[in-house]
Amino acid sequence: MKMNLDFNVGWCLGATLALALAACGDDEGTATGTGTETETETEGGATSTGEPTTAGPETTGTMTDASGSETDGETMATTQGVTTGVGCEPPEIACDDLCVDPQNDPDHCGGCGVVCQPGESCLEGSCAALCDGSTPDLCDGDCTNTDTDPEHCGGCGNACQADEQCLGGACAALCDGGQQYCDGQCVDVGVDPQNCGGCGVMCEQSEQCLGGACAPLCDVGQEYCDGVCADVDVDPLNCGGCGLACALDEQCVDGLCAPVCPDGLDYCAMDCVDAQTDENHCGGCDMPCAQGQVCTGGSCGEPGILVIGSFGVVTPLQGAGYTVTQIDWPNALPLIDIDQFQIILLGRYYFNWPANMSPEIYAALDAYSQAGGNIVTEYDGISVFLSGYHPTFRELNGAPAPMGWFAGEVGSGWNLASGTPVNQTLPNDPLFDNVNDPFSAGGATQFFMTVYNQDAAQLETLATYLGDGSQNFPAEELEGILRGRRCGGNILFANFDYQDDASNPGFGDFIPNLIKAVAGPTSDAVVDVCP
């Protein structure tokens, strides 16, 4: 090196000059190349002939190089492989004329020239993955986040328990799905007004937390929907829940979309009913009348009963406590009025079709039914209410056109053997309270009507009788008693004559039961045929 060469040349020149001066006989000391006297001591430095030893002198202290500058010999020392150099202090080392720390320098990681790969950093003298972003911490060779990692919570190797989670670098209770750990407890931030949408986010006292957002506190029975409090039981835009809109021709009833009923009718039990006359919904939905009562003007009460043309029914009805008015057909028209009588029993009119079934009587019965009136017929009473006559019907001559309230044809009208039994098909119906099953009553059951092609959705069968196999009565179970519903009122068809007969007291109980059956509800199997 250059400094070593200058040092050697200067040393040789100084030594030569010192020897020359010594030869002049100066025993007192030696002189430096600058003329300054210094004391020197040699240890085997020269022989008796004046030549230096082979070991050469050991220099200490300040030395002068060829330029006359003083240098510290210790700063010129070199080490094997690494030069400490000027200004490099441990743990730094000199690499490529620079002072570097091999513990964290990615170009000299652990030693000069050891370069880490892209995506790596130098940690404690070794190359490792470079961690940043959401996983800024390196633990066991993997990047993680000690704020959230339950295996390294708050620091590498600090694992939480199996029932814990890591929140903010601390282990906390593990919450159920949809919950967050806030202030020492698990809360549902979707509905918690103290932590609405996040820990510590509090709603006002007049607010509630819905879906993680504070919203106005609605009244009982209302829900907050799209910025407003809505009653989801009746709101057609939010029927049954927010955003569940009904069609334009529908209304919302009890949280369900339903048809819009005509004026004067209410939607009850999935049907449009007249709450002024309907015994199941008298005065409002699901307000049924007691058995035997009728609904008039929206109030339940004992019915007024009008009997037209029938025989043998007044006495048993009065015996059961009913108030009964009996009239013949020529005088019936002014009394066919629902405000006076809520139930009408009628029959026996084919003996004189023109007088008994006049157009005025037709119109009065139709208006009575559409107002919610209840009608009971016996024997031939069914004739005009169906849609047609069967060829077996015996009184076609002069018969008026049927009113067609219900689909079906009426036929026969002849007698069977006395005592023909009538078999119940709905034994729990009030029609059969205290009545024998099957029941019969001597001459009371010898005249029957038949019904063909009826619609079971309009008329339900309550009882049957067995035909004798003749042309008029096929050998099969035939409809003995049918019930339908029209404009909120019931229509009960008994297809045989029911004159009372003392030979069968149970049959006498059947007459008052007609009132119970016609005033009571029909089954869900039939539809209201109100036009």
Side-chain angles (χ1 to χ4, degrees):
M1 296 178 66
K2 181 177 182 296
M3 291 183 64
N4 290 339
L5 178 59
D6 292 343
F7 172 78
N8 291 334
V9 172
W11 185 85
C12 292
L13 292 175
T16 303
L17 180 58
L19 289 176
L21 292 175
C24 295
D26 188 355
D27 295 332
E28 295 292 326
T30 61
T32 67
T34 59
T36 304
E37 285 188 348
T38 62
E39 292 184 356
T40 63
E41 179 179 351
T42 63
E43 184 175 344
T47 64
S48 57
T49 59
E51 293 184 5
T53 63
T54 58
E58 178 180 349
T59 61
T60 61
T62 301
M63 304 185 72
T64 305
D65 60 17
S67 63
S69 300
E70 296 179 350
T71 60
D72 185 347
E74 292 182 357
T75 63
M76 303 304 297
T78 61
T79 59
Q80 183 69 30
V82 178
T83 303
T84 58
V86 178
C88 294
E89 297 182 357
E92 292 186 341
I93 63 173
C95 294
D96 297 334
D97 295 330
L98 298 173
C99 292
V100 299
D101 186 347
Q103 295 296 302
N104 54 36
D105 192 314
D107 293 324
H108 307 282
C109 189
C112 293
V114 181
V115 180
C116 294
Q117 297 297 318
E120 293 181 327
S121 62
C122 183
L123 297 175
E124 298 179 356
S126 297
C127 292
L130 182 62
C131 298
D132 56 10
S134 61
T135 54
D137 307 309
L138 182 70
C139 292
D140 295 337
D142 294 321
C143 293
T144 186
N145 190 334
T146 57
D147 282 344
T148 58
D149 190 342
E151 299 297 325
H152 307 282
C153 189
C156 294
N158 185 21
C160 297
Q161 298 296 323
D163 59 348
E164 293 180 323
Q165 58 183 328
C166 184
L167 295 175
C171 294
L174 186 62
C175 298
D176 294 335
Q179 293 187 325
Q180 289 187 19
Y181 189 79
C182 298
D183 195 22
Q185 60 181 341
C186 293
V187 298
D188 187 346
V189 296
V191 297
D192 189 340
Q194 304 299 316
N195 303 277
C196 189
C199 294
V201 181
M202 298 179 62
C203 297
E204 300 291 339
Q205 288 187 350
S206 61
E207 294 179 321
Q208 58 184 329
C209 184
L210 295 175
C214 294
L217 188 62
C218 297
D219 294 336
V220 176
Q222 293 184 327
E223 294 186 18
Y224 188 75
C225 301
D226 195 23
V228 298
C229 290
D231 186 343
V232 296
D233 284 340
V234 297
D235 189 340
L237 298 179
N238 303 281
C239 190
C242 293
L244 302 177
C246 297
L248 292 177
D249 59 347
E250 291 181 322
Q251 59 181 331
C252 183
V253 179
D254 295 330
L256 297 174
C257 294
V260 176
C261 296
D263 291 343
L265 301 183
D266 297 320
Y267 189 80
C268 301
M270 302 183 70
D271 193 13
C272 292
V273 301
D274 186 350
Q276 298 298 302
T277 59
D278 194 302
E279 283 80 23
N280 291 320
H281 311 281
C282 189
C285 292
D286 301 319
M287 298 176 63
C289 295
Q291 191 177 79
Q293 290 185 326
V294 295
C295 182
T296 305
S299 299
C300 297
E302 296 301 321
I305 301 174
L306 177 67
V307 177
I308 308 176
S310 295
F311 301 98
V313 298
V314 175
T315 298
L317 289 177
Q318 290 176 334
Y322 293 108
T323 300
V324 182
T325 299
Q326 187 175 22
I327 197 75
D328 57 14
W329 279 106
N331 299 306
L333 185 60
L335 297 181
I336 303 176
D337 179 7
I338 194 171
D339 292 331
Q340 300 181 65
F341 302 102
Q342 291 75 51
I343 296 176
I344 294 178
L345 282 80
L346 55 85
R348 309 290 178 111
Y349 42 71
Y350 71 84
F351 297 108
N352 189 351
W353 284 115
N356 296 341
M357 284 291 111
S358 65
E360 291 79 12
I361 291 290
Y362 263 42
L365 289 173
D366 184 57
Y368 178 82
S369 173
Q370 292 202 38
N374 301 282
I375 297 175
V376 181
T377 73
E378 65 150 333
Y379 189 38
D380 66 324
I382 189 175
S383 302
V384 297
F385 296 105
L386 299 186
S387 57
Y389 298 102
H390 192 266
T392 59
F393 184 65
R394 72 174 183 172
E395 296 293 339
L396 285 177
N397 292 333
M403 290 190 287
W405 289 4
F406 301 94
E409 297 175 332
V410 61
S412 75
W414 299 89
N415 64 308
L416 288 172
S418 179
T420 298
V422 177
N423 304 300
Q424 305 168 22
T425 57
L426 293 178
N428 294 324
D429 194 272
L431 177 64
F432 307 113
D433 289 348
N434 302 317
V435 175
N436 296 330
D437 179 18
F439 64 88
S440 60
T445 60
Q446 52 184 300
F447 293 102
F448 286 86
M449 309 295 287
T450 53
V451 178
Y452 297 89
N453 305 316
Q454 75 271 23
D455 187 345
Q458 296 180 358
L459 293 171
E460 59 181 343
T461 301
L462 305 186
T464 61
Y465 65 93
L466 183 63
D468 62 3
S470 65
Q471 178 182 0
N472 293 325
F473 302 105
E476 59 187 68
E477 291 293 329
L478 305 174
E479 280 69 29
I481 305 176
L482 298 168
R483 182 171 58 198
R485 191 163 184 81
R486 187 172 190 261
C487 302
N490 288 338
I491 315 294
L492 184 69
F493 299 129
N495 301 331
F496 53 90
D497 60 349
Y498 42 58
Q499 296 182 59
D500 195 17
D501 191 327
S503 65
N504 189 339
F507 187 73
D509 293 329
F510 170 73
I511 303 301
N513 289 350
L514 296 171
I515 306 304
K516 298 179 183 178
V518 77
T522 56
S523 72
D524 294 335
V526 298
V527 297
D528 194 313
V529 296
C530 192

